[in-house]
């Protein structure tokens, strides 16, 4: 171990050595964090919360917690899994020190979250710059925009936590609304906004959708939002389900000059308009950019058949009819045994089947939510609401750190698309190859190549 001015020890990585440590793969996350400057950015932004003569830096504590969560932890005490690995993690704060920091941050949660968000945005700009062609904002245009997916999920609370409430599915807990940057089919995605809400929060609350979009836009590098602080431009696309189909939200997106693809509530009048569409006007839906036809699905446009005068100018209504999956229940708005789904978009030039395909890819957001829940958000471990807001931000940071690691270090391997559980078992927590009867872990070379790539990207200290 060499001397280093970093918050973490400088390690020599050798897969053939005999002096091995558990969780050795977490050094990949640490190298990615150092390459991106995450620890330094958090250390600077959280300086107001560092007490005089304190031993532990608040920024390092937050990064340690993020690494712990990324490695599978789901509460503050799980930091203990890294505390014994001083050769990798350096000095790790004790549980009381960590608890005191979370309490101090929660005492002024809005300011603390703004500080964490500022450091994350600064780091994201560097990561995307280093990623080059693999960055989600590479050569974005109005035709190929950067996609931000919005969606909500339910988190069950198993005890009486502050602001937990019954939800519409007869459960009890929280109903956060989140935003994710989509990296496309070749990658995963990274959370850019998490708005923690009580379980009884509405699914179509426009103010919450607007708040999440504002948070998400603040996380984007200036290369994407260079049009101005208020007018972002069409090269950012906001996708959401029917919960975002409100007048206030679409008016806001239009005012910000954002592209959007939003689910639309299918009313009796809209469903009746489907009956006026001649069969010859329906066109086959497609499954990919090559134009391969999707079996049992058709697309048409209702823009000229319904009154849209109260909605933003230029809005288009695209509808898809598809044979339901076996066992699926039809609703009163479906027609002739076909499930109808509808979305709105202001894109003028694109064909309706292309717009429908673009919106259907929003289903990847469900994968992002599952990954985020598997990275600390399945259960909120703290009692007070503001404490859980801080925890949610750290969990999002852990998920983001995994994505950044994949973007910078694993671009040439299928590991670029691995979800957290698989990444942990294959790379972050490999079995000890020196144990009797065990061969060298099969993904050791992937780990070494990733570390080598990060070493090439790292700026001199």
């Amino acid at each position: 171990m060499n001397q280093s001015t970093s918050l973490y020890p400088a390690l020599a990585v050798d897969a053939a050595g005999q002096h091995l440590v558990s969780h050795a793969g977490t050094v990949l996350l640490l190298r990615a964090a150092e390459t991106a400057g995450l620890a330094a950015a958090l250390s600077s932004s959280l300086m107001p919360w560092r007490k005089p003569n304190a031993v532990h830096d608040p920024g390092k504590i937050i990064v340690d917690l993020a690494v712990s969560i990324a490695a599978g932890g789901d509460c503050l005490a799980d930091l203990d899994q890294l505390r014994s690995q001083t050769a990798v993690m350096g000095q790790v704060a004790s549980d009381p020190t960590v608890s005191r920091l979370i309490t101090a941050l929660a005492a002024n949660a809005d300011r603390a979250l703004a500080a964490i968000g500022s450091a994350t945005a600064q780091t994201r700009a560097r990561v995307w710059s280093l990623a080059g062609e693999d960055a989600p904002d590479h050569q974005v245009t109005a035709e190929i925009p950067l996609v931000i997916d919005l969606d909500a999920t339910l988190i069950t609370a198993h005890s009486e936590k502050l602001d937990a409430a019954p939800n519409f599915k007869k459960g009890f807990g929280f109903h956060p609304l989140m935003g994710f940057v989509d990296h496309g089919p070749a990658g995963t995605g990274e959370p850019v906004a998490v708005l923690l809400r009580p379980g009884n929060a509405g699914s179509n609350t426009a103010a919450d959708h607007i708040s999440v979009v504002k948070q998400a836009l603040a996380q984007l590098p200036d290369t994407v939002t260079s049009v101005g602080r208020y007018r972002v431009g069409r090269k950012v696309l906001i996708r959401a389900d029917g919960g975002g189909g409100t007048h206030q939200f679409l008016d806001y997106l239009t005012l910000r000059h954002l592209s959007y693809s939003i689910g639309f509530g299918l009313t009796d009048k809209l469903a009746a308009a489907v009956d006026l569409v001649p069969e010859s006007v329906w066109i086959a839906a497609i499954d990919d950019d090559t134009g391969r036809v999707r079996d049992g699905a058709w697309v048409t446009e209702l823009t000229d058949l319904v009154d849209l005068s109260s909605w933003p100018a230029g809005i288009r209504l695209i509808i898809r009819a598809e044979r339901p999956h076996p066992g699926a229940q039809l609703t009163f708005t479906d027609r002739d045994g076909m499930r109808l789904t509808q979305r709105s978009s202001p894109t003028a030039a694109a064909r309706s089947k292309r717009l429908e395909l673009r919106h259907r890819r929003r289903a990847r957001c469900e994968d992002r939510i599952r990954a985020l829940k598997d990275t600390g958000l399945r259960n909120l471990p703290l009692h007070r609401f503001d404490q859980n807001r801080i925890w949610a931000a750290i969990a999002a940071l852990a998920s983001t750190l995994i994505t950044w690691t994949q973007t910078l270090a694993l671009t040439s391997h299928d590991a670029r698309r691995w979800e957290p559980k698989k990444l942990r078992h294959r790379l972050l927590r490999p079995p000890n190859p020196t144990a009797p009867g065990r061969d060298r872990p099969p993904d050791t070379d992937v780990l070494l190549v990733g570390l080598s790539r990060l070493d090439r990207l790292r700026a001199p200290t």
Side-chain angles (χ1 to χ4, degrees):
M1 183 172 65
N2 301 320
Q3 294 296 322
S4 172
T5 57
S6 170
L7 295 174
Y8 293 93
L11 297 176
V13 180
D14 182 5
Q18 299 299 313
H19 302 286
L20 303 178
V21 294
S22 63
H23 292 78
T26 54
V27 73
L28 187 66
L29 297 174
L30 295 179
R31 288 279 176 85
E34 289 187 297
T35 300
L38 177 61
L42 282 170
S43 177
S44 176
S45 65
L46 295 178
M47 187 60 67
W49 284 270
R50 180 166 188 170
K51 295 182 179 180
N53 302 320
V55 174
H56 296 283
D57 184 274
K60 183 180 184 299
I61 294 176
I62 296 300
V63 176
D64 288 350
L65 283 171
V67 172
S68 170
I69 294 171
D74 59 7
C75 65
L76 297 179
D78 283 336
L79 192 60
D80 187 60
Q81 65 182 322
L82 305 179
R83 189 170 288 118
S84 61
Q85 306 302 331
T86 56
V88 177
M89 300 299 300
Q91 287 190 337
V92 177
S94 64
D95 287 345
T97 300
V98 174
S99 296
R100 284 194 296 268
L101 175 61
I102 298 300
T103 300
L105 294 175
N108 195 343
D110 290 338
R111 183 185 174 198
L113 290 173
I116 295 174
S118 175
T120 306
Q122 175 186 337
T123 309
R124 177 172 286 107
R126 175 167 171 78
V127 170
W128 289 10
S129 175
L130 291 173
E133 294 181 358
D134 296 309
D137 65 339
H138 179 64
Q139 295 182 344
V140 294
T141 63
E143 291 73 28
I144 310 176
L146 178 75
V147 178
I148 297 177
D149 288 318
L150 308 184
D151 208 348
T153 190
L154 297 175
I155 298 177
T156 300
H158 299 283
S159 61
E160 292 285 347
K161 296 177 181 177
L162 194 62
D163 285 351
N167 58 51
F168 64 94
K169 288 191 175 181
K170 303 185 186 302
F172 179 81
F174 301 91
H175 189 195
L177 181 64
M178 296 163 287
F180 300 84
V181 170
D182 183 31
H183 284 227
T188 54
E190 55 189 281
V192 286
V194 177
L195 179 63
L196 190 61
R197 308 183 299 170
N200 56 2
S203 297
N204 58 349
T205 305
D208 291 345
H209 282 80
I210 292 173
S211 177
V212 168
V213 170
K214 289 180 178 179
Q215 290 182 42
L217 294 178
Q219 286 293 310
L220 301 184
D222 291 339
T223 54
V224 179
T225 58
S226 57
V227 176
R229 293 186 61 83
Y230 198 72
R231 296 181 55 182
V232 177
R234 297 293 185 187
K235 57 185 179 179
V236 176
L237 171 72
I238 305 297
R239 288 193 305 210
D241 59 12
T246 61
H247 287 271
Q248 185 180 352
F249 185 50
L250 292 189
D251 287 342
Y252 168 79
L253 296 179
T254 302
L255 191 63
R256 293 296 302 263
H257 291 261
L258 289 160
S259 296
Y260 60 81
S261 182
I262 308 293
F264 214 77
L266 198 59
T267 63
D268 287 336
K269 291 183 178 180
L270 293 178
V274 176
D275 298 331
L276 303 178
V277 179
E279 185 175 346
S280 59
V281 177
W282 291 89
I283 58 177
I286 57 177
D287 248 349
D288 52 40
D289 291 327
T290 65
R292 182 167 60 91
V293 172
R294 181 178 178 84
D295 184 43
W298 295 266
V299 178
T300 192
E301 188 167 352
L302 296 182
T303 305
D304 296 330
L305 298 178
V306 294
D307 181 12
L308 299 174
S309 58
S310 62
W311 294 90
I315 192 173
R316 296 173 62 184
L317 295 185
I318 311 299
I319 194 166
R320 173 166 59 97
E322 186 170 22
R323 297 191 186 100
H325 298 293
Q329 298 294 316
L330 297 176
T331 66
F332 67 92
T333 56
D334 294 328
R335 289 292 188 272
D336 299 326
M338 305 292 286
R339 167 146 298 168
L340 302 181
T341 54
Q342 188 164 295
R343 63 270 308 156
S344 59
S345 174
T347 309
R351 299 184 63 182
S352 56
K353 63 181 181 181
R354 293 286 176 183
L355 295 178
E356 191 277 330
L357 172 64
R358 186 178 70 177
H359 184 84
R360 194 177 347 122
R361 286 173 172 166
R362 199 197 69 84
R364 288 197 288 256
C365 189
E366 300 294 336
D367 299 331
R368 315 309 179 219
I369 291 176
R370 183 176 63 251
L372 183 54
K373 282 189 168 184
D374 197 27
T375 316
L377 207 64
R378 189 172 305 280
N379 174 56
L380 299 177
L382 305 173
H383 175 69
R384 297 188 178 278
F385 186 73
D386 283 336
Q387 290 177 327
N388 281 321
R389 289 175 66 195
I390 301 297
W391 172 267
I394 298 173
L397 184 61
S399 180
T400 301
L401 182 57
I402 289 177
T403 301
W404 288 346
T405 302
Q406 293 172 310
T407 303
L408 295 178
L410 306 175
T411 54
S412 58
H413 193 272
D414 187 53
R416 173 71 175 84
R417 300 178 65 251
W418 287 355
E419 292 196 0
K421 182 179 179 180
K422 185 174 183 179
L423 195 72
R424 291 181 195 121
H425 288 293
R426 298 285 292 270
L427 291 182
L428 303 185
R429 299 183 302 197
N432 187 345
T434 64
R438 286 185 179 173
D439 297 326
R440 176 179 174 178
D443 297 303
T444 300
D445 289 337
V446 179
L447 181 61
L448 294 177
V449 170
L451 290 170
S452 177
R453 179 176 173 83
L454 290 174
D455 286 339
R456 292 194 300 270
L457 291 174
R458 290 181 69 182
T461 303

